[in-house]
Amino acid sequence: MLSLREKRERVEKIGRIKSLITDIKDFPKKGVMFKDISPLLADSEAFRDTILYLQNMCEVPDFYLCMDARGFLFGAPMAYNNDKSGLLMCRKKGKLPGECSSKSYKLEYGESALEIRKGIAPRGSKIVIVDDLCATGGTLLAAIDLCKDLGLEVLCCLCVIDLKDLGGSSKLREKGIKFESLITY
């Protein structure tokens, strides 16, 4: 249980992390308000705090499944910090070598496909999926389907940012998937 002082410090740090995320209007296309994490990544203390807060939001997995590409930035340090967890990559189609399981999905502004390499994580492995942001949930839902296809158990989805009004986190919770984010817009 956190003391009142620790709770206040946490609220201040999360507020500082949020203040470092900037809006970029009409990127990657007109009508989209992009949440840019570049200033957060450039601030070593805020970046470190983000990693520590995220890794404590979920139980310890066998593997962190990091989403291409910004999920790598957060999941890799979590796996490194936890000597019981490995790292898996979920990449855009055609970016991984070897035999892969693939899933097509819709983005808030287009379509894409994801892949996970087969045979890296044993069936039954416990997985925490990590990404920078949850918008409509399409990417995370596709990753969950890929995990199921490979016999992997998803414990939780972790994101730095939840764009709550776009409904992705609600879709995940409706499917019985635990979802946690550090910041909600």
Side-chain angles (χ1 to χ4, degrees):
M1 190 77 168
L2 295 175
S3 69
L4 184 57
R5 182 184 61 74
E6 290 168 324
K7 287 179 185 177
R8 283 187 187 135
E9 183 178 287
R10 179 182 163 95
V11 167
E12 287 174 14
K13 285 185 176 186
I14 291 172
R16 183 165 178 278
I17 290 166
K18 187 173 185 176
S19 75
L20 291 169
I21 298 168
T22 57
D23 290 340
I24 307 293
K25 188 177 178 180
D26 296 327
F27 183 82
K29 73 177 215 175
K30 191 166 180 63
V32 174
M33 183 63 75
F34 185 80
K35 297 294 185 189
D36 184 18
I37 60 170
S38 299
L40 166 60
L41 297 171
D43 185 301
S44 62
E45 182 181 346
F47 182 47
R48 186 175 34 259
D49 287 341
T50 301
I51 299 302
L52 293 174
Y53 286 138
L54 284 173
Q55 78 182 45
N56 288 312
M57 290 179 151
C58 236
E59 64 185 277
V60 176
D62 297 316
F63 295 93
Y64 288 97
L65 176 69
C66 302
M67 304 302 297
D68 192 352
R70 291 180 298 270
F72 298 166
L73 301 170
F74 299 99
M78 286 191 278
Y80 177 81
N81 286 343
N82 183 344
D83 61 359
K84 296 180 181 163
S85 300
L87 181 88
L88 298 174
M89 295 183 291
C90 186
R91 299 213 56 198
K92 294 174 180 116
K93 190 170 180 132
K95 298 290 184 180
L96 290 173
E99 188 178 356
C100 296
S101 184
S102 183
K103 178 75 177 173
S104 294
Y105 67 103
K106 291 186 179 190
L107 294 163
E108 57 273 23
Y109 46 82
E111 278 192 35
S112 193
L114 293 175
E115 292 183 331
I116 298 174
R117 178 122 178 251
K118 292 181 179 179
I120 304 292
R123 292 182 79 71
S125 294
K126 295 182 183 332
I127 305 296
V128 169
I129 299 173
V130 182
D131 206 353
D132 68 322
L133 180 137
C134 179
T136 63
T139 305
L140 293 172
L141 289 166
I144 291 164
D145 287 346
L146 280 170
C147 287
K148 288 179 183 176
D149 291 348
L150 294 169
L152 309 175
E153 179 188 345
V154 176
L155 300 174
C156 181
C157 290
L158 291 177
C159 290
V160 177
I161 301 166
D162 176 19
L163 299 179
K164 190 175 181 179
D165 289 345
L166 295 180
S169 56
S170 294
K171 289 177 193 170
L172 292 164
R173 290 183 180 114
E174 286 168 11
K175 288 191 166 260
I177 302 294
K178 181 179 178 184
F179 174 83
E180 298 289 341
S181 68
L182 192 58
I183 297 165
T184 302
Y185 290 97

